[in-house]
Amino acid sequence: MGDKASAHTGAAGRATTADRPSSVRNVVLVGHSGSGKTTLTEALALTAGAVNRAGRVEDGGTISDYDEIEHRQQRSVQLSLVPLEWDGYKINLLDTPGYADFVGELRAGLRAADAALFVVSAAQESGAVAGATRAVWEECAAVGMPRAIVVTHLETARTGYEELTEVCGSLFGGDDPDAVLPLYLPQYGTPGPDGHAPVTGLAGLLSQKIYDYSSGERKEAPPDPGQASLIGEARNRLIEGIIAESEDETLMDRYLAGDDIDVATLVDDLEKAVARGTFHPVLAAAPAAPGARQGLGTVELLELITGGFPTPLEPECPQVTTPQGAPRPRISCDPDGPLVAEVVKTASDPYVGRISLVRVFSGTLRPDETVHVSGHGLADPGHEDQDLHEADERVGALSVPFGKQQRPLGRVVAGDLACVAKLTRAETGDTLSSKDDPLLMEPWPMPDPLLPLAVQAHSKADEDRLSQGLSRLVAEDPTMRLEQNRATHQVVLWCLGEAHADVALERLRSRYGVQVDVVPHKVALRETFGDSSAGRGRHVKQSGGHGQYAICEIEVEPLPPGSGIEFVDKVVGGAVPRQFIPSVEKGVRAQAARGVVAGYPLVDVRVTLRDGKAHSVDSSDAAFQTAGALALREAAGDTRIHLLEPVAEVQVLVSDEYVGPVMSDLSGRRGRVVGTEQAPGSRTLVRAEVPEIEIGRYAVDLRSISHGTGRFSRSYARHEPMPPQVADRVRDLNGNGR
């Protein structure tokens, strides 16, 4: 880890498959948008020899060649795999988007990785560390994933390195801030005209050496007396933190007795503590200067990854079952074991077609073999094309991405990642296994998309392609949900946020050639009678031929919520012939479905047929249907009609400091807070009932109110009367001022 002799050999871009799981390291980069994850990935690739000094790979592109959407949005919107080789190890770097709307890509990276690098920018305010990044840290802690912290942007720092490491210790260390400590201290040169001092090197706290990067390559040197005194205090704290996590219980006694613990022992204990996920080192890194061969801190970071992060053999593999749900013994990361692989990401290439990023957990995946595809469609009866998630399919070419190239692989062993071409029936989250022994992995958690985007085809040509384009979008991105709302007759794409929605629309246009219009999202309102009323329906027409004659008289009275439409026949004396009573009911129910005031379905009323008249020749089924509808409309005109709006049960999990603003905001949305309770991590769970019409954009607004720390869930509770002033606005929008 910078304190060991490094005998690395750069791969010069030759990203080949690993021969055994022990030589693989799968690492996901996590951090706030703008923290420098992609720049750090490029710097590591340069140091490992995967790119040249100009940052180019052999095909002339760069490893971070963005797609058209990322160029337009000026930020990463998807998970990308960058394979490197260092010191005989293959390192799969998984660069994730930092923006909250693309947390699905982050979750996919966490699933595919065995360790996480949290990238924190010193150029951002120290408080920026405490948002969504802390939530991801807690997720990793819950599953015991090893974590380290990398501080970037030291050359334009707003927050000093020492201060930032203290912030990380308090935020990420929990009850033990000494579990988050720096391994190196940055060394600064002469400040420039802007007042910022360049970072020229690092001081190794264990080795007590200076690693000078000012020449563009890493050089070792002993510290001068001034540097040595600065190292001493931080070194002692680091040693105590390492010994506290050591499995050798005698080390602390020896250290307190004044024994000098050798560096090799400390490094070995440090690496074991990092791999167990009980100690989280802090490092610093910066991209290489123009023409330089190595970026500052990149050698130290690569040594941490290869020496301290676990192999795929160490973490426990996810549980598997048969596709029918029968339990199976837990698999292990064995290249000779049964094949179990998972699609962690799905993308479409205009030239190659569908490309699936796959993590192999057990067995060995080879091109041209037939595998069984099992997926969430089996567990979700409402999933479209459910049969596509239980099928045999032939594996296409295996490759690893590098720049714009896909470099071919002959096989992929357990623990490694690769891209698989032309898996046309596999979606993100699906399992690939042997066709003779089908297995299904437990899914990883995904956030529920809560921002509705109602769309309609821009033209007839777009209408023909819309369904297929939306289905492919949802298949690629499990954080999107497609809804065909029968109540409002809208096609709704549920997203995680506005940026997520923008990317969905852009992909529909650029990938699938579908132009759509975004329309206002409708909430499924209903109508009901406020009081009892009566109505008379008269449908009499004589036009020279066969006429139409039907008269009926009804009474309507409100019923308790959830009662629906109840029809009662109380006609006496045959005023309405028996064969036409069902016709009246049919007309009443048809009009109720269309609404009586604002065009929303009528519910929770009892309609009683009291009287009527018929003609021996001109009465008919159609005439009495029309009369029944007219009677209901007349009854509605003589009483108050309430609009009923759906009310959602909302649960908001938010940091304690934002509870007040959240509750105030909910009240402003006509919400009723029904309770609060404390949650782990200095957070509060707020329970409220809020009209759904008021929370269409709550996914966006809550993020703003809580500075990215809040989460919420919603579920339908009931329909209840809308306040008169709100109902009047809705009626006006529907062209009816009643």
Side-chain angles (χ1 to χ4, degrees):
M1 295 190 183
D3 297 305
K4 303 185 296 182
S6 176
H8 66 87
T9 54
R14 299 184 304 276
T16 57
T17 186
D19 294 326
R20 58 192 186 280
S22 59
S23 65
V24 177
R25 300 293 185 273
N26 298 313
V27 182
V28 60
L29 278 70
V30 178
H32 193 277
S33 182
S35 60
K37 299 183 297 298
T38 301
T39 303
L40 177 61
T41 300
E42 294 171 349
L44 292 171
L46 174 62
T47 298
V51 296
N52 59 31
R53 294 189 184 190
R56 315 298 288 183
V57 294
E58 293 170 2
D59 66 349
T62 68
I63 61 169
S64 58
D65 279 323
Y66 304 129
D67 66 14
E68 181 183 352
I69 297 175
E70 290 183 317
H71 270 302
R72 191 173 295 111
Q73 300 234 349
Q74 292 294 303
R75 61 183 165 207
S76 297
V77 301
Q78 59 186 353
L79 173 72
S80 61
L81 168 64
V82 178
L84 310 175
E85 289 186 6
W86 176 265
D87 201 17
Y89 296 93
K90 181 184 179 185
I91 302 172
N92 290 315
L93 294 179
L94 294 152
D95 185 11
T96 64
Y99 199 64
D101 280 16
F102 307 106
V103 68
E105 303 286 321
L106 169 61
R107 295 282 177 85
L110 292 172
R111 177 69 160 202
D114 302 308
L117 278 177
F118 281 74
V119 184
V120 176
S121 172
Q124 296 174 328
E125 298 292 344
S126 60
V129 182
T133 305
R134 184 169 61 176
V136 179
W137 182 279
E138 293 171 355
E139 286 187 34
C140 294
V143 297
M145 176 177 281
R147 287 143 284 153
I149 299 165
V150 184
V151 178
T152 60
H153 298 155
L154 287 170
E155 69 281 1
T156 56
R158 292 185 185 179
T159 306
Y161 181 77
E162 291 77 9
E163 179 188 347
L164 198 53
T165 56
E166 291 291 336
V167 170
C168 291
S170 63
L171 291 175
F172 300 146
D175 297 332
D176 185 12
D178 284 342
V180 180
L181 293 172
L183 296 184
Y184 305 89
L185 297 180
Q187 302 296 296
Y188 298 92
T190 304
D194 59 357
H196 288 293
V199 183
T200 58
L202 298 173
L205 296 183
L206 292 183
S207 65
Q208 301 184 84
K209 294 179 181 178
I210 302 299
Y211 301 101
D212 185 4
Y213 282 85
S214 59
S215 66
E217 292 194 24
R218 180 177 183 263
K219 296 179 180 180
E220 293 185 10
D224 59 37
Q227 292 170 324
S229 61
L230 293 175
I231 292 173
E233 182 179 347
R235 184 176 192 269
N236 291 337
R237 187 180 178 190
L238 174 62
I239 291 174
E240 291 173 5
I242 294 171
I243 292 176
E245 301 296 338
S246 175
E247 295 176 341
D248 184 353
E249 297 180 357
T250 66
L251 272 186
M252 182 60 76
D253 294 334
R254 289 168 51 196
Y255 176 73
L256 294 176
D259 288 0
D260 187 16
I261 310 299
D262 63 278
V263 172
T265 299
L266 292 171
V267 169
D268 184 59
D269 281 340
L270 170 63
E271 291 178 343
K272 290 177 180 177
V274 171
R276 289 196 308 269
T278 58
F279 187 84
H280 314 293
V282 181
L283 298 89
R293 193 177 72 83
Q294 294 175 335
L296 181 138
T298 52
V299 172
E300 289 76 13
L301 192 50
L302 289 167
E303 289 181 346
L304 168 69
I305 291 171
T306 55
F309 282 169
T311 73
L313 297 167
E314 297 172 54
E316 191 174 56
C317 291
Q319 185 63 53
V320 296
T321 65
T322 66
Q324 293 73 35
R328 292 292 299 272
R330 188 175 288 274
I331 58 173
S332 61
C333 185
D334 180 4
D336 298 321
L339 175 64
V340 180
E342 188 169 38
V343 179
V344 295
K345 177 179 171 59
T346 309
S348 294
D349 185 277
Y351 304 104
V352 181
R354 181 175 289 191
I355 297 177
S356 304
L357 177 61
V358 170
R359 160 80 189 252
V360 181
F361 285 91
S362 173
T364 300
L365 185 65
R366 296 178 173 85
D368 298 323
E369 70 176 323
T370 300
V371 298
H372 188 80
V373 179
S374 302
H376 55 77
L378 300 173
D380 179 6
H383 192 284
E384 295 184 4
D385 300 329
Q386 186 173 336
D387 58 311
L388 298 184
H389 289 73
E390 180 72 13
D392 292 339
E393 190 166 10
R394 187 177 181 181
V395 173
L398 302 179
S399 62
V400 290
F402 223 80
K404 295 181 179 179
Q405 292 183 344
Q406 292 287 333
R407 298 183 174 177
L409 297 175
R411 61 177 181 147
V412 185
V413 302
D416 205 358
L417 289 97
C419 292
V420 183
K422 299 179 180 178
L423 283 179
T424 58
R425 299 184 177 184
E427 297 183 0
T428 300
D430 287 355
T431 304
L432 310 182
S433 58
S434 169
K435 63 184 180 65
D436 300 321
D437 185 19
L439 296 172
L440 181 65
M441 300 186 72
E442 62 181 0
W444 69 87
M446 281 291 184
D448 189 18
L450 294 169
L451 181 69
L453 184 72
V455 297
Q456 63 185 26
H458 182 70
S459 65
K460 177 63 178 176
D462 295 312
E463 189 174 332
D464 296 337
R465 298 189 297 266
L466 179 60
S467 178
Q468 182 182 10
L470 289 173
S471 296
R472 292 175 69 178
L473 264 186
V474 174
E476 293 178 9
D477 188 350
T479 61
M480 288 183 184
R481 178 165 54 87
L482 183 61
E483 177 191 10
Q484 302 275 355
N485 194 306
R486 296 179 180 177
T488 63
H489 308 292
Q490 284 189 318
V491 176
V492 182
L493 190 64
W494 289 85
C495 305
L496 293 175
E498 290 179 311
H500 196 209
D502 290 343
V503 168
L505 295 175
E506 182 62 24
R507 284 178 176 163
L508 278 175
R509 184 193 65 79
S510 60
R511 286 187 184 176
Y512 308 123
V514 182
Q515 191 76 31
V516 299
D517 297 325
V518 177
V519 297
H521 176 245
K522 297 179 181 178
V523 171
L525 302 180
R526 298 172 184 172
E527 301 174 353
T528 194
F529 276 55
D531 297 298
S532 298
S533 182
R536 184 172 188 265
R538 184 177 186 274
H539 184 61
V540 178
K541 287 188 177 181
Q542 297 292 336
S543 56
H546 185 69
Q548 299 181 53
Y549 189 96
I551 298 175
C552 63
E553 297 180 3
I554 63 171
E555 290 181 357
V556 184
E557 56 186 312
L559 293 177
S563 301
I565 300 290
E566 182 180 328
F567 185 84
V568 179
D569 169 25
K570 288 193 176 181
V571 174
V572 295
V576 177
R578 307 308 302 170
Q579 69 269 27
F580 294 134
I581 290 177
S583 303
V584 176
E585 180 178 0
K586 188 174 182 181
V588 166
R589 291 188 180 277
Q591 184 63 53
R594 293 190 297 267
V596 293
V597 172
Y600 299 107
L602 179 71
V603 296
D604 302 334
V605 294
R606 176 184 293 120
V607 179
T608 303
L609 179 60
R610 292 288 187 183
D611 201 358
K613 292 182 181 180
H615 189 278
S616 59
V617 175
D618 293 340
S619 291
S620 64
D621 170 67
F624 271 99
Q625 285 191 45
T626 303
L630 291 171
L632 185 61
R633 286 161 58 182
E634 182 176 290
D638 292 336
T639 189
R640 294 179 299 112
I641 300 297
H642 292 312
L643 287 187
L644 303 178
E645 60 180 344
V647 175
E649 291 182 355
V650 175
Q651 297 186 15
V652 185
L653 184 62
V654 66
S655 298
D656 289 345
E657 58 190 303
Y658 300 117
V659 171
V662 165
M663 294 177 68
S664 176
D665 178 74
L666 290 173
S667 297
R669 297 173 187 270
R670 298 190 285 121
R672 296 183 295 273
V673 175
V674 296
T676 62
E677 60 185 71
Q678 284 300 120
S682 300
R683 293 179 296 180
T684 299
L685 183 67
V686 180
R687 303 178 186 274
E689 295 180 345
V690 191
E692 289 190 8
I693 201 170
E694 301 286 351
I695 55 174
R697 288 180 48 83
Y698 194 58
V700 177
D701 297 337
L702 176 62
R703 188 178 300 163
S704 175
I705 295 168
S706 66
H707 294 253
T709 64
R711 305 177 188 175
F712 84 104
S713 62
R714 57 185 283 183
S715 59
Y716 171 76
R718 62 189 174 276
H719 273 71
E720 63 180 35
M722 181 180 284
Q725 65 274 18
V726 181
D728 289 342
R729 290 201 302 267
V730 172
R731 292 189 182 101
D732 291 342
L733 290 173
N734 283 271
N736 191 326
R738 191 197 323 255

